[in-house]
Amino acid sequence: TSTLQLIASKANDAYSLIITYPEKIVFNLFALERMVQVAEGTKAGLVYTDYKVSAGGEIQLVPLIDYQKGSLRDDFNFGPVLLYSSKALQEAVRKMDVDYQFASLYDLRLKVAQNHAIVHINEYLYTREEETVISDEEKQFAYVDPKNRAVQQEMEQACTEYLKNVGGFLKPVFKTINLEIPFEFEASVIIPVRNRIRTIADAVHSALSQKTSFPYNVIVVDNYSTDGTTEALQEWRDERLIHVIPESKELGIGGCWNVGVHHKACGKFAVQLDSDDIYSDENTLQKIVDAFYQQQCAMVVGTYMLTDFNLQPIPPGIIDHTEWTPENGRNNALRINGLGAPRAFYTPLLREIKVPNTSYGEDYALGLRFSREYPIGRIYDVLYYCRRWEDNSDASLDTIKMNANNLYKDRLRTWELEARIQMNKQQEG
């Protein structure tokens, strides 16, 4: 923060350039003039551009995405070159009253965004030269690495302050939930599946092997598989297994969840199991259902371990999301990119809210929506083995697909932030 204060104090020109990459940046011809031109025309507080990376003699394009109101994640990629309006920079720095060790640039960006536009120039205006490129897998899970805990606490503090300033902060006051509505089955394990002949038997066996004090079933929503998955499910002989082929052929994972949850045999609690994963042992379902009653919550999120196809742990290993707190978890949820797994929901509320018909981010959308009004329970025992293999839905994503995913989650945050602002205004009125 003190460094930014020094920069702001010396910003006598109209614009201030901050470069966050310590090595070599090569600007294209008239690149800075172009950035200033757009900044002047849009009256932006911050301008950033697409760029290239030169590593090992190869050039990689890095197209970025547009910033929006809900782009609250601290890992939003602006690239290493940031052009600030000096007026906006100075205005924001004057409001920075916490001397952050890690979150200063994040805090600055949030304060600029409160009153100024942040503009993305989708032109490749410079090249970043480096020796190695950090893998997308490393970036994806960096925020749950224990060594980054102090970093995450500062980021949460900065985000929470921003939410309070814009009217989107929610106090830890929740609606009460009636969990005593009678159901024939206490729980249903929901498994959407399409073309998972290599893994579906493992998943179903894991679900049917649960030891519980209550009746449960397993609802597999088979999204028109063509690789033998359908036939394998039809051969299974267990009355607890319900094999459903939906009427619609236009369903994503979220749409398949809607089919399962609205099935007449769905239990009181709908519990996630992906078709290529398994539960860690036979007690997972009991632990999840117990958590609903013990924590009086509408949604439960557990802990999982990343493994290879043969269930051997792979880095970063256990994903527990211990950054969650009952007091501020639902606010911090607007900053992080996920809440964890496995997820389970109180069926009457899930039937009311419904699941977005997508195959990415639908779980995050539910976490945001549920937490807006209801408490979310947490289990920090490893309940779930998440197998990483070549056919995962998020395996080997190219930049275009990753950008589409990130843009969608930012949009979810934008909608949710606006809904929370409006809810606060209604309660105050």
Side-chain angles (χ1 to χ4, degrees):
T1 302
S2 58
T3 301
L4 291 172
Q5 290 170 342
L6 179 62
I7 293 171
S9 67
K10 294 186 176 182
N12 296 320
D13 295 322
Y15 295 95
S16 299
L17 191 70
I18 296 179
I19 298 178
T20 61
Y21 182 66
E23 305 300 330
K24 189 175 181 181
I25 298 288
V26 179
F27 288 97
N28 295 355
L29 182 65
F30 301 129
L32 294 177
E33 288 87 345
R34 177 60 170 158
M35 294 178 73
V36 169
Q37 182 184 63
V38 173
E40 287 180 342
T42 60
K43 303 302 179 185
L46 168 62
V47 166
Y48 63 101
T49 87
D50 297 344
Y51 63 100
K52 301 177 183 180
V53 171
S54 175
E58 296 186 0
I59 298 295
Q60 173 187 343
L61 298 179
V62 186
L64 305 179
I65 62 175
D66 290 350
Y67 192 87
Q68 50 187 306
K69 189 173 184 177
S71 299
L72 299 182
R73 52 195 169 90
D74 54 83
D75 64 350
F76 186 95
N77 188 7
F78 292 97
V81 176
L82 308 170
L83 184 74
Y84 283 93
S85 154
S86 293
K87 180 180 178 181
L89 175 67
Q90 292 165 342
E91 175 187 294
V93 168
R94 282 195 294 268
K95 297 177 182 178
M96 296 175 69
D97 53 5
V98 178
D99 191 13
Y100 289 118
Q101 183 178 357
F102 307 105
S104 295
L105 271 178
Y106 178 56
D107 188 31
L108 174 67
R109 176 245 293 187
L110 293 178
K111 285 180 166 52
V112 168
Q114 283 180 229
N115 300 303
H116 303 276
I118 295 181
V119 173
H120 167 217
I121 303 175
N122 53 328
E123 301 169 10
Y124 297 95
L125 296 185
Y126 62 91
T127 300
R128 187 185 78 195
E129 296 190 353
E130 60 183 39
E131 294 183 2
T132 58
V133 180
I134 299 175
S135 72
D136 294 325
E137 188 89 348
E138 290 179 87
K139 295 175 184 177
Q140 179 181 359
F141 293 106
Y143 69 99
V144 294
D145 190 327
K147 70 176 181 289
N148 293 331
R149 193 60 46 80
V151 177
Q152 294 306 311
Q153 288 174 340
E154 283 199 3
M155 299 296 183
E156 179 177 353
Q157 182 180 349
C159 183
T160 300
E161 180 188 0
Y162 171 81
L163 292 175
K164 290 179 178 178
N165 290 336
V166 300
F169 174 79
L170 299 180
K171 298 177 181 179
V173 179
F174 303 93
K175 289 183 176 180
T176 57
I177 308 160
N178 176 18
L179 297 178
E180 303 305 323
I181 297 175
F183 274 73
E184 180 181 359
F185 297 95
E186 184 74 355
S188 290
V189 177
I190 308 293
I191 307 178
V193 63
R194 177 177 171 83
N195 293 342
R196 286 292 185 268
I197 189 59
R198 288 178 61 187
T199 60
I200 188 60
D202 292 340
V204 172
H205 178 73
S206 174
L208 292 173
S209 298
Q210 294 298 298
K211 296 180 179 179
T212 65
S213 61
F214 48 79
Y216 76 94
N217 59 30
V218 178
I219 302 176
V220 180
V221 183
D222 181 3
N223 197 9
Y224 292 89
S225 296
T226 58
D227 67 343
T229 296
T230 301
E231 291 75 14
L233 289 167
Q234 289 171 340
E235 292 174 1
W236 212 290
R237 296 293 177 261
D238 191 314
E239 63 181 11
R240 296 173 299 166
L241 177 62
I242 300 172
H243 178 209
V244 180
I245 299 177
E247 293 183 8
S248 174
K249 293 185 178 181
E250 305 299 325
L251 299 181
I253 292 174
C256 290
W257 256 85
N258 283 328
V259 170
V261 169
H262 285 82
H263 192 282
K264 63 182 180 180
C266 185
K268 183 186 295 188
F269 303 109
V271 185
Q272 171 224 352
L273 180 59
D274 288 348
S275 58
D276 44 12
D277 300 329
I278 65 172
Y279 292 137
S280 60
D281 60 35
E282 69 274 9
N283 301 310
T284 290
L285 192 56
Q286 184 71 54
K287 290 179 179 178
I288 290 173
V289 170
D290 288 347
F292 276 102
Y293 293 105
Q294 292 165 358
Q295 301 182 47
Q296 287 294 297
C297 52
M299 176 179 173
V300 168
V301 183
T303 295
Y304 67 97
M305 177 182 289
L306 282 175
T307 76
D308 61 19
F309 190 80
N310 297 314
L311 302 181
Q312 296 302 306
I314 59 175
I318 296 174
I319 310 296
D320 54 15
H321 286 274
T322 53
E323 80 282 347
W324 181 277
T325 62
E327 297 77 22
N328 202 49
R330 60 179 177 169
N331 294 303
N332 196 42
L334 286 167
R335 179 184 68 86
I336 60 177
N337 240 4
L339 276 66
R343 298 163 293 273
F345 308 90
Y346 183 42
T347 296
L349 282 178
L350 187 55
R351 285 175 170 171
E352 177 183 328
I353 291 172
K354 301 179 179 61
V355 189
N357 184 29
T358 69
S359 292
Y360 176 83
E362 73 289 341
D363 50 347
Y364 181 60
L366 288 175
L368 293 179
R369 179 61 186 88
F370 269 77
S371 67
R372 187 195 310 170
E373 298 179 281
Y374 302 99
I376 291 181
R378 305 296 309 213
I379 300 174
Y380 294 111
D381 299 332
V382 174
L383 302 180
Y384 192 91
Y385 293 143
C386 180
R387 296 198 283 190
R388 310 292 286 184
W389 61 302
E390 65 273 11
D391 281 354
N392 282 148
S393 58
D394 57 354
S396 302
L397 296 180
D398 59 27
T399 301
I400 293 175
K401 184 60 177 175
M402 287 182 61
N403 280 349
N405 289 347
N406 286 329
L407 188 69
Y408 178 59
K409 280 195 173 180
D410 282 352
R411 191 158 289 136
L412 291 173
R413 280 182 275 264
T414 297
W415 296 333
E416 182 61 28
L417 176 57
E418 188 57 46
R420 294 182 181 197
I421 291 172
Q422 296 304 320
M423 185 175 75
N424 282 335
K425 287 181 178 179
Q426 291 175 1
Q427 290 175 350
E428 291 170 0

mmCIF file of all heavy atoms in Angstrom, residues 362-379:
data_model
loop_
_atom_site.group_PDB
_atom_site.id
_atom_site.type_symbol
_atom_site.label_atom_id
_atom_site.label_comp_id
_atom_site.label_asym_id
_atom_site.label_seq_id
_atom_site.Cartn_x
_atom_site.Cartn_y
_atom_site.Cartn_z
ATOM 1 N N GLU A 362 -22.693 -24.437 -12.744
ATOM 2 C CA GLU A 362 -24.033 -24.561 -12.175
ATOM 3 C C GLU A 362 -23.972 -24.775 -10.667
ATOM 4 O O GLU A 362 -24.840 -24.291 -9.922
ATOM 5 C CB GLU A 362 -24.794 -25.700 -12.870
ATOM 6 C CG GLU A 362 -24.367 -27.127 -12.528
ATOM 7 C CD GLU A 362 -23.033 -27.545 -13.084
ATOM 8 O OE1 GLU A 362 -22.557 -26.892 -14.041
ATOM 9 O OE2 GLU A 362 -22.461 -28.524 -12.562
ATOM 10 N N ASP A 363 -22.947 -25.472 -10.187
ATOM 11 C CA ASP A 363 -22.797 -25.698 -8.749
ATOM 12 C C ASP A 363 -22.440 -24.408 -8.022
ATOM 13 O O ASP A 363 -22.931 -24.131 -6.925
ATOM 14 C CB ASP A 363 -21.740 -26.769 -8.489
ATOM 15 C CG ASP A 363 -20.439 -26.501 -9.231
ATOM 16 O OD1 ASP A 363 -20.428 -25.646 -10.131
ATOM 17 O OD2 ASP A 363 -19.431 -27.151 -8.905
ATOM 18 N N TYR A 364 -21.600 -23.598 -8.645
ATOM 19 C CA TYR A 364 -21.222 -22.311 -8.055
ATOM 20 C C TYR A 364 -22.433 -21.376 -8.003
ATOM 21 O O TYR A 364 -22.647 -20.668 -7.008
ATOM 22 C CB TYR A 364 -20.099 -21.682 -8.870
ATOM 23 C CG TYR A 364 -19.595 -20.358 -8.337
ATOM 24 C CD1 TYR A 364 -19.053 -20.258 -7.060
ATOM 25 C CD2 TYR A 364 -19.662 -19.203 -9.111
ATOM 26 C CE1 TYR A 364 -18.578 -19.046 -6.576
ATOM 27 C CE2 TYR A 364 -19.193 -17.993 -8.640
ATOM 28 C CZ TYR A 364 -18.649 -17.917 -7.374
ATOM 29 O OH TYR A 364 -18.200 -16.704 -6.890
ATOM 30 N N ALA A 365 -23.228 -21.380 -9.063
ATOM 31 C CA ALA A 365 -24.439 -20.552 -9.086
ATOM 32 C C ALA A 365 -25.358 -20.915 -7.925
ATOM 33 O O ALA A 365 -25.931 -20.038 -7.271
ATOM 34 C CB ALA A 365 -25.172 -20.725 -10.419
ATOM 35 N N LEU A 366 -25.486 -22.208 -7.647
ATOM 36 C CA LEU A 366 -26.344 -22.646 -6.540
ATOM 37 C C LEU A 366 -25.765 -22.225 -5.201
ATOM 38 O O LEU A 366 -26.499 -21.813 -4.297
ATOM 39 C CB LEU A 366 -26.526 -24.158 -6.590
ATOM 40 C CG LEU A 366 -27.405 -24.695 -7.712
ATOM 41 C CD1 LEU A 366 -27.401 -26.214 -7.704
ATOM 42 C CD2 LEU A 366 -28.838 -24.168 -7.588
ATOM 43 N N GLY A 367 -24.444 -22.334 -5.056
ATOM 44 C CA GLY A 367 -23.825 -21.919 -3.810
ATOM 45 C C GLY A 367 -24.071 -20.447 -3.519
ATOM 46 O O GLY A 367 -24.387 -20.067 -2.386
ATOM 47 N N LEU A 368 -23.945 -19.609 -4.541
ATOM 48 C CA LEU A 368 -24.220 -18.178 -4.364
ATOM 49 C C LEU A 368 -25.686 -17.947 -4.011
ATOM 50 O O LEU A 368 -26.003 -17.175 -3.096
ATOM 51 C CB LEU A 368 -23.865 -17.417 -5.641
ATOM 52 C CG LEU A 368 -22.384 -17.346 -6.033
ATOM 53 C CD1 LEU A 368 -22.228 -16.574 -7.335
ATOM 54 C CD2 LEU A 368 -21.549 -16.697 -4.931
ATOM 55 N N ARG A 369 -26.574 -18.611 -4.738
ATOM 56 C CA ARG A 369 -28.013 -18.371 -4.531
ATOM 57 C C ARG A 369 -28.471 -18.875 -3.169
ATOM 58 O O ARG A 369 -29.216 -18.173 -2.462
ATOM 59 C CB ARG A 369 -28.802 -19.056 -5.651
ATOM 60 C CG ARG A 369 -30.310 -18.889 -5.528
ATOM 61 C CD ARG A 369 -30.718 -17.424 -5.577
ATOM 62 N NE ARG A 369 -32.134 -17.257 -5.316
ATOM 63 C CZ ARG A 369 -32.668 -17.116 -4.109
ATOM 64 N NH1 ARG A 369 -31.882 -17.131 -3.031
ATOM 65 N NH2 ARG A 369 -33.965 -16.953 -3.958
ATOM 66 N N PHE A 370 -28.049 -20.070 -2.780
ATOM 67 C CA PHE A 370 -28.439 -20.594 -1.473
ATOM 68 C C PHE A 370 -27.888 -19.716 -0.359
ATOM 69 O O PHE A 370 -28.582 -19.397 0.604
ATOM 70 C CB PHE A 370 -27.938 -22.032 -1.305
ATOM 71 C CG PHE A 370 -28.928 -23.081 -1.756
ATOM 72 C CD1 PHE A 370 -29.120 -23.348 -3.104
ATOM 73 C CD2 PHE A 370 -29.666 -23.792 -0.836
ATOM 74 C CE1 PHE A 370 -30.025 -24.307 -3.527
ATOM 75 C CE2 PHE A 370 -30.584 -24.763 -1.242
ATOM 76 C CZ PHE A 370 -30.767 -25.016 -2.593
ATOM 77 N N SER A 371 -26.634 -19.324 -0.480
ATOM 78 C CA SER A 371 -26.004 -18.569 0.612
ATOM 79 C C SER A 371 -26.561 -17.162 0.750
ATOM 80 O O SER A 371 -26.381 -16.524 1.785
ATOM 81 C CB SER A 371 -24.484 -18.503 0.398
ATOM 82 O OG SER A 371 -24.139 -17.721 -0.735
ATOM 83 N N ARG A 372 -27.247 -16.689 -0.273
ATOM 84 C CA ARG A 372 -27.855 -15.356 -0.166
ATOM 85 C C ARG A 372 -28.851 -15.301 0.996
ATOM 86 O O ARG A 372 -28.972 -14.276 1.669
ATOM 87 C CB ARG A 372 -28.572 -14.980 -1.467
ATOM 88 C CG ARG A 372 -29.095 -13.547 -1.488
ATOM 89 C CD ARG A 372 -30.102 -13.330 -2.606
ATOM 90 N NE ARG A 372 -29.628 -13.799 -3.909
ATOM 91 C CZ ARG A 372 -30.405 -13.879 -4.990
ATOM 92 N NH1 ARG A 372 -31.703 -13.554 -4.911
ATOM 93 N NH2 ARG A 372 -29.918 -14.325 -6.136
ATOM 94 N N GLU A 373 -29.553 -16.413 1.232
ATOM 95 C CA GLU A 373 -30.600 -16.405 2.245
ATOM 96 C C GLU A 373 -30.448 -17.474 3.319
ATOM 97 O O GLU A 373 -30.992 -17.330 4.415
ATOM 98 C CB GLU A 373 -31.960 -16.589 1.573
ATOM 99 C CG GLU A 373 -32.334 -15.482 0.594
ATOM 100 C CD GLU A 373 -33.679 -15.740 -0.066
ATOM 101 O OE1 GLU A 373 -33.737 -16.560 -1.005
ATOM 102 O OE2 GLU A 373 -34.659 -15.128 0.379
ATOM 103 N N TYR A 374 -29.711 -18.534 3.015
ATOM 104 C CA TYR A 374 -29.704 -19.688 3.907
ATOM 105 C C TYR A 374 -28.280 -20.058 4.329
ATOM 106 O O TYR A 374 -27.326 -19.833 3.577
ATOM 107 C CB TYR A 374 -30.352 -20.888 3.205
ATOM 108 C CG TYR A 374 -31.765 -20.634 2.746
ATOM 109 C CD1 TYR A 374 -32.026 -20.302 1.423
ATOM 110 C CD2 TYR A 374 -32.831 -20.696 3.643
ATOM 111 C CE1 TYR A 374 -33.329 -20.046 0.987
ATOM 112 C CE2 TYR A 374 -34.129 -20.446 3.220
ATOM 113 C CZ TYR A 374 -34.377 -20.122 1.896
ATOM 114 O OH TYR A 374 -35.657 -19.869 1.481
ATOM 115 N N PRO A 375 -28.138 -20.650 5.512
ATOM 116 C CA PRO A 375 -26.811 -21.097 5.942
ATOM 117 C C PRO A 375 -26.334 -22.304 5.134
ATOM 118 O O PRO A 375 -27.134 -23.159 4.739
ATOM 119 C CB PRO A 375 -27.012 -21.464 7.419
ATOM 120 C CG PRO A 375 -28.479 -21.739 7.546
ATOM 121 C CD PRO A 375 -29.175 -20.869 6.548
ATOM 122 N N ILE A 376 -25.033 -22.343 4.895
ATOM 123 C CA ILE A 376 -24.400 -23.468 4.227
ATOM 124 C C ILE A 376 -23.535 -24.204 5.247
ATOM 125 O O ILE A 376 -22.702 -23.597 5.924
ATOM 126 C CB ILE A 376 -23.549 -23.012 3.027
ATOM 127 C CG1 ILE A 376 -24.457 -22.489 1.909
ATOM 128 C CG2 ILE A 376 -22.674 -24.148 2.500
ATOM 129 C CD1 ILE A 376 -23.717 -22.048 0.667
ATOM 130 N N GLY A 377 -23.733 -25.504 5.358
ATOM 131 C CA GLY A 377 -22.943 -26.313 6.284
ATOM 132 C C GLY A 377 -21.657 -26.792 5.628
ATOM 133 O O GLY A 377 -21.568 -26.912 4.400
ATOM 134 N N ARG A 378 -20.644 -27.072 6.454
ATOM 135 C CA ARG A 378 -19.350 -27.527 5.947
ATOM 136 C C ARG A 378 -18.923 -28.811 6.644
ATOM 137 O O ARG A 378 -19.179 -28.990 7.836
ATOM 138 C CB ARG A 378 -18.268 -26.466 6.189
ATOM 139 C CG ARG A 378 -18.568 -25.097 5.625
ATOM 140 C CD ARG A 378 -18.682 -25.026 4.139
ATOM 141 N NE ARG A 378 -17.579 -25.610 3.421
ATOM 142 C CZ ARG A 378 -17.129 -25.160 2.245
ATOM 143 N NH1 ARG A 378 -17.689 -24.104 1.682
ATOM 144 N NH2 ARG A 378 -16.147 -25.765 1.635
ATOM 145 N N ILE A 379 -18.272 -29.689 5.896
ATOM 146 C CA ILE A 379 -17.656 -30.896 6.441
ATOM 147 C C ILE A 379 -16.206 -30.908 5.969
ATOM 148 O O ILE A 379 -15.943 -30.820 4.760
ATOM 149 C CB ILE A 379 -18.373 -32.176 5.963
ATOM 150 C CG1 ILE A 379 -19.844 -32.159 6.399
ATOM 151 C CG2 ILE A 379 -17.662 -33.420 6.504
ATOM 152 C CD1 ILE A 379 -20.651 -33.323 5.849
#
